[in-house]
Amino acid sequence: MNPQSDHSMPDERQRRRSIYLLPNAFTTANLFSGFYAVVQSMNQHFEVAAIAIFLAMVFDSMDGRVARLTHTQSAFGEQYDSLADMISFGMAPALVMYEWSLQGLGRWGWLAAFIYVVGAALRLARFNANIGKVDKQYFQGLPSPAAAALVAGFVWLSVDNKLSFSDGLIPWVAFGLTIYAGVAMVSNAPFFSGKSFALGRSVPFWVMLLLVAVFVFVSSDPPVVLFALFVLYSLSGWLIWLWRVRRARRLGQRMRGLDTDRNP
């Protein structure tokens, strides 16, 4: 037996174990960001809490891609990711929004927050049940990170621009936005997933220029730009759904027209 191979086998097992832990480390960072957002909201640091939720989105987008790049996908990682998402994109946004503005509405405030939490839980459960059964190009319903960004983005935008609560309008806008995000998560509207974009795939030079332009655009005023982008994304699914409905109706009319021509 080659003595060198005896020393290399433990090193190889350790290397594989380290790669396996890498995507779960990003998931843990996602979970910590959600937990940190809750803590900061309890301390009345709402802008920091909103930013922490956006950081959780960054870590959440990395764990799956890292797992695919390193071929370390596992059932454990999928379940751990879902549990972390429930905290970071389910409980944390609802509690931040409630602590910031909804608690002034009494029972209506916590009902709106609870609707959001239930929507996130149902969204994640449905996603897990439909893995491998749905179109990978589109999500069924608004994804929970986007819903969290919609809620946290409004908090960040309002705090950063020092919007006033004196007229009583802001809490009710927050109420409507929170309920919309919760309901949109359990809808059947198709939202573009972006999973067709692979990190290891070569892209044209103009794509790099577009990414640079996006970074510059976002950095000009992060709370305003990010909130506006996620508002547009949260509406895009309904536009795609309406386009599909109209296309299906036109196809049905054409088919009926063909049947009429064949059987006058």
Side-chain angles (χ1 to χ4, degrees):
M1 180 178 290
N2 188 354
Q4 186 176 359
S5 63
D6 294 339
H7 294 289
S8 63
M9 288 179 63
D11 294 338
E12 180 67 17
R13 285 196 292 267
Q14 181 63 34
R15 187 185 68 84
R16 291 181 178 178
R17 186 178 297 119
S18 299
I19 292 177
Y20 176 76
L21 290 176
L22 185 58
N24 292 324
F26 282 102
T27 304
T28 303
N30 166 20
L31 179 60
F32 173 78
S33 297
F35 171 77
Y36 187 73
V38 173
V39 172
Q40 291 303 310
S41 69
M42 293 169 63
N43 293 327
Q44 306 296 304
H45 299 155
F46 299 112
E47 186 172 11
V48 177
I51 294 174
I53 292 174
F54 277 95
L55 284 177
M57 290 181 57
V58 175
F59 293 128
D60 180 63
S61 66
M62 292 300 297
D63 59 6
R65 295 185 184 277
V66 169
R68 287 189 291 271
L69 285 173
T70 56
H71 304 288
T72 53
Q73 301 99 318
S74 66
F76 171 82
E78 291 176 355
Q79 298 303 319
Y80 185 34
D81 181 65
S82 293
L83 292 173
D85 288 353
M86 185 58 209
I87 299 298
S88 298
F89 309 131
M91 291 296 297
L95 290 174
V96 171
M97 182 66 91
Y98 179 79
E99 287 287 331
W100 176 62
S101 66
L102 292 180
Q103 63 178 336
L105 300 179
R107 71 180 65 179
W108 296 108
W110 64 257
L111 279 173
F114 181 68
I115 288 173
Y116 178 91
V117 172
V118 171
L122 293 174
R123 172 69 178 81
L124 291 168
R126 183 174 65 179
F127 177 80
N128 290 341
N130 292 337
I131 290 178
K133 300 179 182 179
V134 295
D135 185 4
K136 292 184 177 180
Q137 189 174 1
Y138 292 95
F139 290 118
Q140 185 182 9
L142 183 67
S144 58
L150 196 64
V151 172
F154 182 67
V155 175
W156 190 7
L157 170 71
S158 301
V159 174
D160 187 70
N161 290 276
K162 297 179 174 58
L163 298 185
S164 176
F165 279 75
S166 59
D167 57 359
L169 179 62
I170 296 298
W172 288 108
V173 173
F175 172 84
L177 190 67
T178 304
I179 290 183
Y180 171 77
V183 172
M185 281 189 284
V186 295
S187 69
N188 290 323
F191 291 86
F192 182 69
S193 67
K195 291 183 178 180
S196 57
F197 178 75
L199 291 177
R201 185 182 301 172
S202 60
V203 295
F205 182 70
W206 66 266
V207 175
M208 293 300 300
L209 293 178
L210 180 62
L211 289 176
V212 172
V214 170
F215 282 123
V216 172
F217 183 52
V218 171
S219 63
S220 63
D221 194 342
V224 173
V225 175
L226 288 174
F227 180 68
L229 289 176
F230 280 102
V231 167
L232 293 176
Y233 180 75
S234 69
L235 297 176
S236 64
W238 303 106
L239 297 177
I240 296 174
W241 178 73
L242 288 174
W243 176 75
R244 287 182 175 181
V245 169
R246 292 187 62 183
R247 186 180 64 174
R249 288 180 178 176
R250 290 178 180 177
L251 182 61
Q253 291 175 354
R254 290 178 183 177
M255 295 299 295
R256 287 193 293 269
L258 291 175
D259 292 340
T260 303
D261 295 337
R262 292 174 183 175
N263 303 301

